Amino acid sequence: MNPQHRYLPLLMNYTNRVSELLSDGVHVVTSLILYHAEAEWSGEAMLFQKPAKELTQNQIDFDIVSIDILKNADVLNNKILINNEVFDNLIIPSAERLPKAFFEAAAELIKRGAKLIFIDCFPSGSSENISVTEYIQLLKENDQVEIVSLNKLANFMRGKGEYQISLEHKAESLRYYQYRHDTHTVYMFFNESPDSEIDNKVSIKETGYIHRYDPWENKCYLISKEKQTFINLSLAVQESSIYIISDSPLVATIESDKRIIAELELSGTWNVALATSQQYPTYSNSFQLEELTNISKPSLYPEFSGTIRYQKEFYMEDTNKNYQLDLGEVYEVAEVFINGCSVGIKVSKPYAFDISTFVKKGDNTLTVEVTNTLGTLQKDFLSQYRVLQPSGLLGKVKLKAY
């Protein structure tokens, strides 16, 4: 039995909340990138993933489009319209040859005012080896058509104003998705980096009240008491965050100032016990760790799958401040208890918990239950040779005052 199964309802609630936010509206996007599969077997061709990577690392969103869909596109005010989405341009990865159907669709698009960007060069012919000389000449002579080198694509588009957000400083690992409803716009950000935090200022092309929504806890926080055109974004490693921009303030809690003013590492001896999914919440195999480490390493329990319970005492002198417990590295579901009361559950980074209302002056008992996967116990043909993730609480565990 999967030891994480008892947490599945929490994950499904999170998924439903995010899905609700990103439904019944319109994806706000900048570009189309042509999926030119035929070009890959009819001559030299650039993978469409290359311009996709260039735009992704520069926070310019796009959709991938096939020639069949492109043939049914509309054009209005120099913008390409497909399925209610509006695009500033169509990007064509470099290709020696493209199907005649593309040339016909491109000619119709530029005739109606659409903008086309060819990466590095124009194609020299058709995939079917049918003459398309007149179409190529039309592309070369039209002011709506540009040739741009791959490494200059993002800067070229920003110079034309063809983008939705801009950053104070470069952050290649930042991903975002923008979705517009009638009364508000949703921005979802994700730090894809495995080792670097993001602290940046995101400028947006609209003015409104800024809210941060936590779909895991289902809580909304008002960030700005006045309308503004930017988001101060801080993301831990592999953290995601959702912001809602609206014309009027939503029902929300005012976001508190969480600048850390002091921190203390909770080091020393940890009392540890194990429980399989069938045994939980009854624990056995009790032992002590002087230093947090991977429970699945060969010298400990390399095939253990279940919940690892960590316990220790800590003393609080001052309870007048707000406190956050940061578990550091965890693999992979963590539930925290203070003095026997559940503080919360996290399934991904950052494993940080607000424990302000749970701690008391004097001695406190901290319990952390970490649940790993079935991967250590049930290895298939491939995973038996693959390096698996660690298991348990690796820390460093820190108590932070703010």
Side-chain angles (χ1 to χ4, degrees), residues 5 46 66 79 124 134 138 157 173 196 208 212 221 228 231 239 257 295 359 363 365 377 398:
H5 186 266
M46 172 186 289
S66 67
K79 309 285 187 181
S124 60
E134 64 207 61
L138 176 65
M157 289 177 59
S173 65
S196 298
R212 183 178 67 83
Y221 300 91
Q228 58 189 45
I231 299 168
E239 181 183 9
D257 185 356
I295 294 297
V359 292
D363 292 325
T365 301
L377 181 63
K398 295 182 179 181

Side-chain angles (χ1 to χ4, degrees), residues 168-315:
E168 189 171 57
H169 49 267
K170 193 174 181 64
E172 290 189 351
S173 65
L174 179 63
R175 309 289 173 256
Y176 93 101
Y177 188 83
Q178 183 178 350
Y179 200 80
R180 181 170 292 141
H181 294 271
D182 290 339
T183 59
H184 60 275
T185 303
V186 179
Y187 292 83
M188 185 169 187
F189 299 96
F190 175 61
N191 179 9
E192 203 170 63
S193 172
D195 52 25
S196 298
E197 298 178 353
I198 288 177
D199 190 3
N200 219 315
K201 181 178 179 180
V202 181
S203 296
I204 58 179
K205 288 187 170 181
E206 57 187 311
T207 302
Y209 291 94
I210 314 295
H211 307 78
R212 183 178 67 83
Y213 176 62
D214 181 347
W216 184 259
E217 300 289 346
N218 195 24
K219 293 180 179 178
C220 189
Y221 300 91
L222 179 63
I223 303 299
S224 59
K225 295 181 180 180
E226 296 180 353
K227 291 184 177 182
Q228 58 189 45
T229 59
F230 62 90
I231 299 168
N232 289 317
L233 184 66
S234 293
L235 293 176
V237 170
Q238 296 178 340
E239 181 183 9
S240 65
S241 190
I242 291 177
Y243 289 83
I244 301 173
I245 318 301
S246 62
D247 289 333
S248 57
L250 305 177
V251 177
T253 302
I254 297 177
E255 180 91 302
S256 60
D257 185 356
K258 292 190 176 181
R259 285 178 291 185
I260 304 302
I261 57 177
E263 65 178 49
L264 172 69
E265 182 181 351
L266 299 183
S267 56
T269 304
W270 292 82
N271 296 312
V272 185
L274 308 178
T276 65
S277 57
Q278 291 85 359
Q279 294 170 332
Y280 184 86
T282 302
Y283 287 87
S284 59
N285 294 338
S286 299
F287 57 97
Q288 290 186 330
L289 287 175
E290 297 301 323
E291 184 176 348
L292 294 172
T293 188
N294 174 19
I295 294 297
S296 295
K297 68 183 184 181
S299 61
L300 289 175
Y301 297 90
E303 295 186 349
F304 175 75
S305 173
T307 300
I308 307 141
R309 185 184 67 190
Y310 300 81
Q311 289 184 316
K312 76 181 296 87
E313 304 290 322
F314 66 96
Y315 186 83

Side-chain angles (χ1 to χ4, degrees), residues 113-131:
K115 302 175 186 177
L116 275 60
I117 299 175
F118 285 82
I119 304 298
D120 294 338
C121 62
F122 289 121
S124 60
S126 70
S127 300
E128 304 91 341
N129 206 26
I130 299 172
S131 176

Side-chain angles (χ1 to χ4, degrees), residues 322-337:
N322 291 315
Y323 290 95
Q324 179 190 85
L325 182 71
D326 187 345
L327 299 182
E329 292 290 322
V330 178
Y331 295 91
E332 64 187 37
V333 178
E335 183 169 7
V336 168
F337 300 82

